[in-house]
Structure formats: C-alpha cells, structure tokens
Amino acid sequence: MSMNVGSVTDNYSVSATTKDVAPAAAEKVSEAETEKVAEKNDSGVVYEQGKEPEKSATYSINKMSAEDRAKLVDQLKKDEENRRNQLSGLVQKMFSEQSGVSKLADLFSPENLKDVSIKDIEQAKQDVSEDGYWGVKQTSQRLFDFASALAGDDVEKMKEMQAAMEKGFKSATEAWGKELPGICKDTINAANKLFDDYYASKKS
C-alpha cells in the first residue's frame, strides 16, 4: 500500500500548535461574551437620595426604529452563523490532524521511514492512545468543550453546534478523500454521546 508520508507528517507537524487552539478559542469566546454582557448591563437604574429612581436611556430597545431593530436581528443571525462556521472549520481541522497522526502511528515498514523517524512514530502512537492528546477521549471532550463555549449553555444553540460538528466531520472526510480512520469515527460518536448526556442533564 502506497502512502504520501510527506502529507501525513505535514499534518502531524502542526499538531503541537493545535494543542493551544482549544483554550485560546474558549478564552476568546469567553471574553467576547463577557463584553456583550457588560454592555447590556451598563445601564440599569440610578438611585440618588431624595430623588425618584430614573432609568438609563441606553436600555430602551423599544425606542429603536424598525430599521434599527431589523439591523440588530440581522447582526445577531450573522453572529450565530459565524459561530457555527467557526466550529465546523475547527472540527474539520482537528479530524484531519487526528487522521494524520493516526496514519503516522501505523507506519511500520522500513520503506515508509524515509521521511520520518522512529521517535516520531512512537510519539504518534502515544498521541492516539486511549489517554493521548489525539485519543478518542481527549479529542471528543475538546469538541464538546468548543461547542459549549460557543453555545453558552443554551440547549437550542448546542443542537446547532452539534450539527456544525457533524458538518465539520463530513468536510474532513471529503478532504481526506476516503473514509477517515476508525479513531475518527469513534471520536465523533463519543462527542455525540457527550451532547446526549448534556441534553439529558437539562431534562432532569
């Protein structure tokens, strides 16, 4: 069986940088959400001794014109779409890299070792192991955590993010040119199980 080892190792070479993507993305989303909440709460009621409480004018969405309200709704829809696309693209990248590491871990024959070292292969094996960074457990948890950060603990938005995750998995499969390695299928199934557990916890 022939394999383009160069493309595999190219995928694997960027895996170290992707380990920092998860917390960075979650932190960025968290800061953005915090700023939005801060802006919304920047108004409120002002109390002064001897005076009636007076409401801040910045909280008056009802005073917006129909055109401004339409623009606001349109912007919110675009924000939601951007979040879904962000997760879908991230999922595609993660599964592509997981596939590359998995294939690197499967290299055994001497003719396939021209561009990679035994050390690289051993590291890849560790990364796709049960407790490895690219293993099913850690990768599925990262997928779920990304979705949670973007959805903000909203069940309906979580469902949208789950659909975006599935879209990313499909895109990764198409980019790979064939069925993704078994570890990827196990990972998407494990991630969907985390979503199911989340929905069940909300019902209970």
Side-chain angles (χ1 to χ4, degrees), residues 171-183:
S171 296
T173 302
E174 294 173 352
W176 191 250
K178 55 184 177 180
E179 289 293 318
L180 290 172
I183 189 174

Side-chain angles (χ1 to χ4, degrees), residues 110-129:
E111 62 269 20
N112 288 330
L113 301 181
K114 296 177 181 178
D115 300 319
V116 295
S117 66
I118 296 295
K119 183 179 179 180
D120 290 332
I121 296 176
E122 290 302 321
Q123 181 61 54
K125 289 179 181 179
Q126 292 180 27
D127 286 344
V128 297
S129 66

Side-chain angles (χ1 to χ4, degrees), residues 19 62 71 75 117 133 179 192:
K19 296 181 182 181
N62 291 332
K71 288 181 179 179
Q75 183 59 51
S117 66
Y133 181 82
E179 289 293 318
N192 280 320

Side-chain angles (χ1 to χ4, degrees), residues 98-147:
Q98 186 186 45
S99 299
V101 177
S102 175
K103 285 301 181 183
L104 181 60
D106 289 339
L107 292 178
F108 292 112
S109 56
E111 62 269 20
N112 288 330
L113 301 181
K114 296 177 181 178
D115 300 319
V116 295
S117 66
I118 296 295
K119 183 179 179 180
D120 290 332
I121 296 176
E122 290 302 321
Q123 181 61 54
K125 289 179 181 179
Q126 292 180 27
D127 286 344
V128 297
S129 66
E130 182 178 357
D131 296 319
Y133 181 82
W134 288 112
V136 172
K137 183 178 180 180
Q138 285 200 45
T139 307
S140 61
Q141 186 65 55
R142 284 199 304 279
L143 291 172
F144 180 79
D145 290 344
F146 283 137

Side-chain angles (χ1 to χ4, degrees), residues 13 20 40 53 58 71 73 86 90 98 111 132 138 152 164 174 178 185 193:
S13 65
D20 298 326
K40 291 180 180 179
T58 57
K71 288 181 179 179
V73 171
Q86 180 183 359
L90 186 61
Q98 186 186 45
E111 62 269 20
Q138 285 200 45
E174 294 173 352
K178 55 184 177 180
K185 296 177 182 179
K193 176 64 166 56

